[in-house]
Amino acid sequence: MKTKNMKYKIYILLTVTFILFFCSVNGKETNINTKTKVTKTILLDFGFKVALGQEEDFETFKTYSFFKLTKSGKVVYVDTLLEYEFGDKLYPIVLQTGKNKFELLFEINDRPNKNYLKRIIIKNDKVIMTDSLPTFISKATDLDNDGIKEYAGFWCYDQVWGESELKTSYNPILYYKIKSTGFHLDSLLTKVRNTEIYGGFHGFEFNEQLEMPATVLDKFEKEFNRITAAGVKAK
């Protein structure tokens, strides 16, 4: 009986010790995050502010691994996993999409892959969703003459391979309309433009397995230049 009681007491003691240790570690991690030195702050519309830390300077660009987003002084989002980049003047983008509802886009450095955009959707000072969009080619313009501005972008860098480099991947350009309710993929425009480039529509995702003749890159470049020129004129 004494042996049983002794084992039980030891078990309780170890459990309590583990809990205290776990809380102590968590406390230290939280403390480290909250005390991260802020090296850059960015003021945005609608009372949003970004505080950045853990800066890395790569000479041609800088990244920040500590990201804290506040609205009117209230912390709404903290991230220490991704590397945020602010070299492109096109970003961040803040869009009000309803009463106390916003969509924000920030550029993420994803080297050696192409950078992408992190979208943070906030309602009543709380994050309700995050996802990713491709970086945009240029400023938003009316690319299909329907009276609504669009952004356009694509996920990956173009590559060629095969004998005499005659093959490339399916790399669709995606078009996003700016509406009062947020950024929306324009499915129709995306299908039409990529059918012109690739001779058919093969989906909204980059597909390395779908081999395309490298000659499609000429049409891709033509559309890329059209979008860029429209953005330049809009300035």
Side-chain angles (χ1 to χ4, degrees):
M1 190 69 177
K2 285 184 179 179
T3 305
K4 259 188 185 179
N5 287 338
M6 184 62 71
K7 286 182 178 179
Y8 180 74
K9 287 179 181 178
I10 292 172
Y11 173 78
I12 293 295
L13 180 61
L14 289 173
T15 302
V16 171
T17 302
F18 175 77
I19 291 172
L20 290 173
F21 174 77
F22 181 77
C23 291
S24 174
V25 171
N26 273 354
K28 287 179 181 177
E29 288 178 349
T30 302
N31 197 38
I32 288 171
N33 287 338
T34 55
K35 289 187 176 182
T36 297
K37 181 181 178 182
V38 173
T39 56
K40 184 181 181 70
T41 58
I42 301 173
L43 299 178
L44 303 175
D45 293 335
F46 307 108
F48 285 103
K49 183 172 78 170
V50 176
L52 302 163
Q54 296 181 12
E55 176 185 304
E56 284 193 76
D57 190 342
F58 295 89
E59 296 186 359
T60 56
F61 64 91
K62 293 181 180 179
T63 64
Y64 302 86
S65 299
F66 176 80
F67 173 95
K68 182 171 70 174
L69 177 67
T70 60
K71 185 177 187 302
S72 303
K74 180 180 179 181
V75 178
V76 293
Y77 187 76
V78 176
D79 187 6
T80 59
L81 298 177
L82 300 175
E83 292 186 78
Y84 291 77
E85 186 177 335
F86 293 85
D88 193 328
K89 293 181 180 179
L90 190 58
Y91 319 109
I93 297 174
V94 182
L95 183 66
Q96 184 169 16
T97 59
K99 185 178 180 181
N100 298 320
K101 188 176 181 183
F102 303 89
E103 289 189 17
L104 297 90
L105 298 181
F106 297 94
E107 185 175 8
I108 303 299
N109 186 293
D110 195 33
R111 61 187 187 281
N113 300 314
K114 186 174 177 290
N115 287 4
Y116 66 91
L117 299 177
K118 183 181 181 73
R119 174 164 58 173
I120 303 174
I121 300 179
I122 296 171
K123 185 175 182 181
N124 297 324
D125 297 342
K126 292 183 179 179
V127 175
I128 60 173
M129 191 182 86
T130 64
D131 63 0
S132 302
L133 275 66
T135 51
F136 300 138
I137 295 170
S138 187
K139 291 179 63 177
T141 55
D142 186 2
L143 294 170
D144 57 356
N145 300 313
D146 65 350
I148 302 174
K149 290 184 178 181
E150 295 91 12
Y151 281 106
F154 52 96
W155 284 110
C156 299
Y157 297 119
D158 285 317
Q159 295 181 352
V160 291
W161 65 84
E163 187 176 347
S164 300
E165 297 186 335
L166 295 177
K167 299 291 184 181
T168 190
S169 303
Y170 175 69
N171 189 21
I173 297 176
L174 306 179
Y175 300 79
Y176 294 86
K177 285 190 178 298
I178 308 173
K179 296 185 177 181
S180 59
T181 52
F183 297 92
H184 296 272
L185 179 66
D186 188 333
S187 301
L188 179 59
L189 181 57
T190 298
K191 290 177 180 178
V192 169
R193 294 300 187 196
N194 286 288
T195 296
E196 292 174 358
I197 294 170
Y198 295 101
F201 181 69
H202 306 286
F204 298 98
E205 301 291 334
F206 172 81
N207 190 340
E208 192 174 18
Q209 305 304 317
L210 184 58
E211 292 188 348
M212 307 296 298
T215 52
V216 301
L217 295 177
D218 293 333
K219 294 180 180 179
F220 185 101
E221 184 178 5
K222 183 178 179 180
E223 178 64 1
F224 180 95
N225 291 338
R226 182 183 80 90
I227 294 166
T228 302
V232 171
K233 288 181 182 178
K235 292 183 179 180

